[in-house]
Amino acid sequence: MTTQVRTLESAPRALAQRAASLDLGKYGGVMIGLVAMVVFLALTQQGFLAPGNIMNILHTNAALLVCSVGMTFVVLLGGFDLSVGAFLALGGVILAKLVEGGLPPLAAIALVLLGGLVASLLTNAGLIAFLGLNFFVVTIATNALFGGLALVVSDGRTVSLYDDAFIVGLGTGTFAGVPLTVIVAVSVAIVAGLILRQTGFGRMIYAVGGNAEAARLSGINVIAVRVVAYLLCSACAVLAGIVMASRLQSASPTMGAGIALMAAAAVLLGGTSFLGGEGGILGTVIGVLFLGVLSNGLTLVGVSGFWQGVITGAVLLGAITSDWLRSRLALRTRRSPQS
Amino acid sequence: MRRPLGLDVVETQANSELSPQKSAEIAEQLRTRYGDELDGIYDALSYTALGAASAKTPDFAPVIVTYGGGAETNEAIADGRFTAAIDVLNPLIGRAKAWVVCQRLAGEELPGTMEVPFLIVDESNVAEMPTDAEQLKADVDFEALVDADGNRIAYNGITLPELAGGAAK
């Protein structure tokens, strides 16, 4: 009898635990918002659910998804990378210059990715992980550094990629009706998700993000984990630059403007805590979809482009508040069994 | 704004980000909504219009006209991504503005307002456009003209192509 009462009393807790294991608590708010937006737009905007429009949303946000996936790694560590926009722009511009110079596009892509990794190792990854410098200060500096380099390399101009069939094909081609850029972005998200969920390195990221000192004492090489996370973030930013340049069939030194904050917004909306140690790629994908549908929907509804920024900002403030509420509730839930 | 004859403006969108990406997104939405029934897109910035042009497909090839000009714009006109641009000759205008300031500092009298010339560029005259470097380095004598056509600055010493379409202004 006593056991039965205990079971009944603990049922809500068990449900909560099950929900938590499915990350419903993290994604619940943004999922409800996303579904509500989709239902509203489907009912009020003819053509919102048209396959062409759905593909537009995915195509438009492919680069943001790649960038946000990379950002997820460093946010899970309790860090942040303000320089992803500069890495993105520099990657796109160097790719365009290399292709313009006659290098085969695949070789140029490989070279740009490699260059991005080296640049990150010497700056973000090296300075933050090895020297322990503040990630905001370092990435503000590298944002200026690589953003400036993008201007130098391009001479401040937009470099055309219109003549390269491979790049144009990557940016405009489809496979089974799905844009290639979307396939690339989803593939990156799947691989990142597998890394985080199925590998020891993924578990180390959560451990370091949750409590770096405890992770170090348990034998995890915290510096190496941080280096790899920042390298992955930069590599994703450069890849996002390649995706964006191929989509626009050109690369400009300013094309990464604003993407760092959008990526951070997507990661935050997706339930990854800015304190680190909590969240994941699925949430980031949902966050990107949320922002993509919001932007698409506001344009369809006819909201002025200027008001779109105001609304997006308000939504993000709501997300930050809900993140704070969620962490407070989680803290209370953890404390309550002892009381 | 006076409605252009023969044109039916179906939609106006603000590119709040002033970015090619946003222009591409807007153009892709227009493609979904209007398809090949849309005849043209006017993007008010040549830099962002490159994004709009990236939405063109064999089934969606609206005329794209823009404002601004420069090397990338001329390149896009030459390869057919843009149909035309209103080229404001930015480097030359910059020099003209500096000349006006110098004239005033030297005590010269100038009209209170002056027009600056611009060009409509399309495939017929794009090859004759002076490059930005030529506009910057050409030995140009600026001249303030006050006549029946109004007050304007003349660029003497640099060859500019005929206006596309042969219009006089």
Side-chain angles (χ1 to χ4, degrees), chain A:
Chain A
M1 188 66 180
T2 310
T3 309
Q4 275 181 337
V5 172
R6 282 174 61 89
T7 306
L8 282 172
E9 280 177 351
S10 62
R13 190 178 303 284
L15 271 175
Q17 282 170 350
R18 178 167 294 181
S21 72
L22 292 170
D23 286 332
L24 291 180
K26 284 180 226 159
Y27 311 143
V30 72
M31 274 301 287
I32 290 168
L34 180 59
V35 170
M37 260 196 309
V38 168
V39 170
F40 172 77
L41 291 168
L43 292 175
T44 60
Q45 300 302 316
Q46 194 182 9
F48 170 73
L49 286 180
N53 192 50
I54 301 296
M55 283 306 148
N56 284 349
I57 294 172
L58 299 175
H59 192 38
T60 299
N61 292 284
L64 177 62
L65 176 57
V66 175
C67 204
S68 304
V69 164
M71 184 73 87
T72 307
F73 284 99
V74 295
V75 174
L76 279 171
L77 284 178
F80 190 66
D81 188 348
L82 278 166
S83 68
V84 288
F87 270 92
L88 181 153
L90 186 58
V93 162
I94 291 179
L95 172 76
K97 280 288 184 186
L98 290 174
V99 170
E100 193 181 58
L103 202 67
L106 273 175
I109 288 171
L111 210 57
V112 166
L113 284 170
L114 187 66
L117 286 172
V118 172
S120 179
L121 186 64
L122 295 173
T123 55
N124 288 354
L127 296 172
I128 295 166
F130 286 116
L131 302 186
L133 298 183
N134 181 279
F135 55 84
F136 268 119
V137 178
V138 171
T139 58
I140 283 173
T142 51
N143 185 51
L145 173 68
F146 294 120
L149 273 177
L151 284 164
V152 170
V153 171
S154 64
D155 199 20
R157 294 171 182 276
T158 300
V159 188
S160 176
L161 283 160
Y162 184 69
D163 294 331
D164 190 273
F166 179 87
I167 299 289
V168 172
L170 177 63
T172 60
T174 59
F175 179 76
V178 181
L180 294 177
T181 52
V182 175
I183 293 173
V184 169
V186 171
S187 304
V188 168
I190 289 171
V191 170
L194 289 175
I195 289 173
L196 280 177
R197 290 289 172 192
Q198 304 293 332
T199 68
F201 170 70
R203 284 185 284 276
M204 285 182 210
I205 286 212
Y206 284 98
V208 173
N211 189 328
E213 185 57 17
R216 189 185 67 78
L217 291 172
S218 65
I220 293 173
N221 187 338
V222 174
I223 290 176
V225 171
R226 284 188 177 143
V227 166
V228 175
Y230 276 95
L231 287 179
L232 286 173
C233 184
S234 301
C236 283
V238 172
L239 184 58
I242 293 166
V243 167
M244 194 181 281
S246 65
R247 175 181 173 238
L248 299 174
Q249 297 151 30
S250 61
S252 84
T254 56
M255 69 183 191
I259 200 161
L261 296 181
M262 288 302 282
V267 172
L268 185 66
L269 278 167
T272 298
S273 170
F274 265 36
L275 298 174
E278 196 183 323
I281 297 297
L282 179 59
T284 299
V285 172
I286 295 169
V288 170
L289 279 177
F290 183 91
L291 291 174
V293 170
L294 179 67
S295 172
N296 182 273
L298 289 172
T299 306
L300 282 178
V301 171
V303 175
S304 149
F306 305 116
W307 276 104
Q308 288 184 23
V310 175
I311 293 168
T312 306
V315 167
L316 294 180
L317 276 180
I320 292 164
T321 311
S322 72
D323 181 55
W324 177 81
L325 275 173
R326 187 166 50 78
S327 48
R328 297 283 294 183
L329 284 172
L331 196 65
R332 189 182 291 181
T333 310
R334 263 182 250 140
R335 281 177 182 165
S336 60
Q338 296 162 353
S339 58

Side-chain angles (χ1 to χ4, degrees), chain B residues 7-74:
Chain B
L7 291 179
D8 184 13
V9 179
V10 292
E11 205 164 308
T12 305
Q13 298 277 356
N15 182 342
S16 53
E17 296 168 12
L18 295 177
S19 70
Q21 301 92 286
K22 190 67 181 176
S23 270
E25 182 184 344
I26 291 170
E28 283 165 1
Q29 285 187 329
L30 294 174
R31 183 177 67 195
T32 305
R33 252 175 290 167
Y34 301 104
D36 61 3
E37 288 182 8
L38 191 74
D39 293 325
I41 295 174
Y42 175 72
D43 191 319
L45 273 180
S46 53
Y47 160 67
T48 60
L50 289 167
S54 72
K56 287 171 90 170
T57 65
D59 301 328
F60 179 72
V63 162
I64 292 186
V65 178
T66 186
Y67 178 92
E72 308 92 45
T73 306
N74 293 341

